[in-house]
Amino acid sequence: MDKIIKTLHLRLDSTSRSLTKNAISQLIVRILFQNGKPLTLGQIGTQVASLLQTSIAEERIIDGISKLSEKNEIKLIKDKYDLTKSNRRTLEKRYEESKDRLERIIDNYFTPFNSSKESIIEWFSDATVEFFKAYSIEWISDLCYTKTDRLKTKKEDIFSHISRRTRHNKDLDPTDYDSLIEKFIDAIIYRKDVDLDAHLWQYGTSAFAANLLQSSVGADPMSINAFRDSKCILDTNVLMNIGLEASEYHDAIKKLEVVFEKLNITTGYFHITEQEYIKTIANKKKEILRAASRFSHEVIKATDDHFLQSAVKRKCFLIEDFENFCNQIANPPKRLDAVKEIQIFNNSEELDKEIEIAQNDSEKREIINNIYKTVTGNDKKEAPLLHDVGIIAGTEYLRKKEKAFILSQEISVNRYSHSKPVKDDLPIAIKLETLINMLAIDNGGTNVNPLDFSTLFANMIRFDLHPDKNTFQIADLSKLLDTELQIEQLPADEVIKIAQNLHANRLKGLPDDEIGLALNREFQDVKLKFVQDLDIVYENLTHEKREHQIKSSKLDKTEKALKERIRLEETTAYEKNVLISNLKWFLLLPGAIAILTCFGIYYYTEKTESSYNNYFIGIAINIVFWILSSITVTKPKLFRRNEMLKIKMEKTIEERFEKETS
């Protein structure tokens, strides 16, 4: 829970968002520097996505580029962005300085050694990355508060961590292991000079930037767990957006389908929604056909109606085309996009009865109508009002036995949901935009873990994508430390309460700045009750919680490494088996048959000038036979065999892993 709060605080806090923009800008600068040539906006976005392992909103790339343009660090030439000449010269100089600095550190602190200098430099860089993955908070603490000396208290842990990493490095001479580890600890913890400070700042701010960037992508585990294994009741307005190519949510719904499949979210609707959909589309059909008959194709193409625009995208031109389009959408869609089926949830007489009772309840109708009237100033029409009351009642009935929520764009339905308590971490209703935001559909979805920045950090160092030394200041890092310490010092029940309130505010679809403001206020309120001066408390604070996290992380990494080793061994054996089979069936067997054919022709035909034609004919027949047999028999047979071997391999991996960890 602590990690989720920290991550969402970084994502929502206004200062952190500004710092994240700086991190993106620096990423763009380094990408342009590494490529050495101008790149389009799309190419920059692709490379940023490759590094983050997910695409991010184009607006974020544009914001980063705008920031760089304002500072005259990049220029736009023929729709492509490039570094200014002065900035490229500056970066080249800094790159050389960084290389020279690393060599000076090795010469000053790690000589003599028996390994190659290149191997030592590579090891030192890798060891520094591992150090910051596990102990960046302690480093920031010592940087910000000179009296803490937190790194010294971690000396043995750091020694053990770096020792394991070093002794697995096959590029180093084994005789160097002990001295390198001891000298690393001495340099990182005890030594102070300009080169070491610059080196640690470069890696420390890279870890900070990676933390900011990773926190801004992917759905948090709390949101994932909330929506997992639930029922999503689709309102009429959402159903009408599904399948319409011109809908503003068309692409988002495609991505939503993938997430729904992964989280086992069942989609469907009630009969009352089906009836309202059919009636609404029937009325819409009249408008569409009226427009198609009265206006030219050019005028229709210029409208902003997403029904007409979808019809145009489907190549509708004649009035008959538009009528066919209306018939295609006359009934509710059967799938969310291509795979996820949309069901009808009225499979219970009791459910239908609950909906009917609610629709006949004047008090419930009045509640929904008053909500609508407060927002719009008008009474809600009778038919939509009855539908809203019914869909809410049906969902409340389902929520007595299972997780369920309404996906709706309707004001009255969502405002009613805000007035009711969250159950199973889910609201009664949620807007489509809010769900997309919470599950980070455009930012990694459920495939990217925003809580773990280690891979991104390592890649930033590996590809020399670290931020400029002036991008961040000590005060920026101090803010991250304060947030970390505040959360660690809070009682567990207060952390849970803050997390629940944060989750509830996100479910309401409040703007990020409002959610961030509420989160900061809660922090301050709790801090006033429970937290004394940060310096004093941190000095005396027990570190059992942090030790447990580090040990758990080490255990996870060990198990992961073990499983990867087993998988590598079994995969190697599988690939060897496949290779032998391919050689046997596609090379040795056809070759043997071809040789036998040539021998047969040699012994059973007379030697004449035309006898060579027999060899060509024989080989040609062999080739044709081989191609036909490969397509019809050999390939399908080998494919089935290889699939069975894959299944067997996965089972063997699991069995070996369980055996070696038991």
Side-chain angles (χ1 to χ4, degrees), residues 234-236 239 268-281 330-333 343-346 387 391:
L234 304 173
D235 201 353
T236 312
L239 283 172
Y269 52 84
F270 297 141
H271 281 310
I272 54 172
T273 303
E274 180 183 30
Q275 293 164 5
E276 185 178 64
Y277 177 95
I278 292 171
K279 183 178 178 181
T280 303
I281 294 297
N331 293 302
Q343 306 173 10
I344 297 181
F345 287 146
N346 292 68
H387 174 267
I391 195 173

Side-chain angles (χ1 to χ4, degrees), residues 417-419 427 429-431 434 438 503-510:
S417 175
H418 295 172
S419 66
I430 188 170
K431 292 181 71 175
T434 304
M438 291 192 71
H503 184 67
N505 285 335
R506 297 186 76 204
L507 289 171
K508 290 178 182 177
L510 296 179

Side-chain angles (χ1 to χ4, degrees), residues 98-146:
S98 179
K99 285 178 60 180
D100 293 341
R101 181 171 61 241
L102 261 177
E103 293 208 12
R104 286 196 301 271
I105 290 173
I106 298 302
D107 291 338
N108 292 336
Y109 293 101
F110 294 94
T111 54
F113 44 77
N114 297 315
S115 308
S116 68
K117 190 171 185 178
E118 291 76 16
S119 298
I120 298 291
I121 291 173
E122 186 70 25
W123 162 82
F124 180 60
S125 178
D126 180 63
T128 310
V129 168
E130 289 302 311
F131 165 77
F132 275 105
K133 281 181 182 179
Y135 303 102
S136 58
I137 290 298
E138 284 79 3
W139 175 77
I140 294 173
S141 176
D142 286 355
L143 190 68
C144 298
Y145 306 110
T146 55

Side-chain angles (χ1 to χ4, degrees), residues 207-267:
F208 180 66
N211 201 346
L212 291 170
L213 290 166
Q214 195 71 26
S215 296
S216 70
V217 299
D220 66 273
M222 194 171 181
S223 297
I224 291 172
N225 291 333
F227 289 100
R228 190 188 302 277
D229 300 324
S230 62
K231 274 188 175 179
C232 175
I233 295 95
L234 304 173
D235 201 353
T236 312
N237 40 62
V238 176
L239 283 172
M240 288 194 296
N241 276 287
I242 296 171
L244 290 184
E245 295 84 349
S247 167
E248 60 182 309
Y249 302 113
H250 182 67
D251 291 335
I253 287 171
K254 285 177 175 289
K255 296 175 183 177
L256 200 64
E257 179 183 70
V258 177
V259 175
F260 275 21
E261 277 287 296
K262 187 168 184 179
L263 299 184
N264 192 34
I265 299 174
T266 307
T267 53

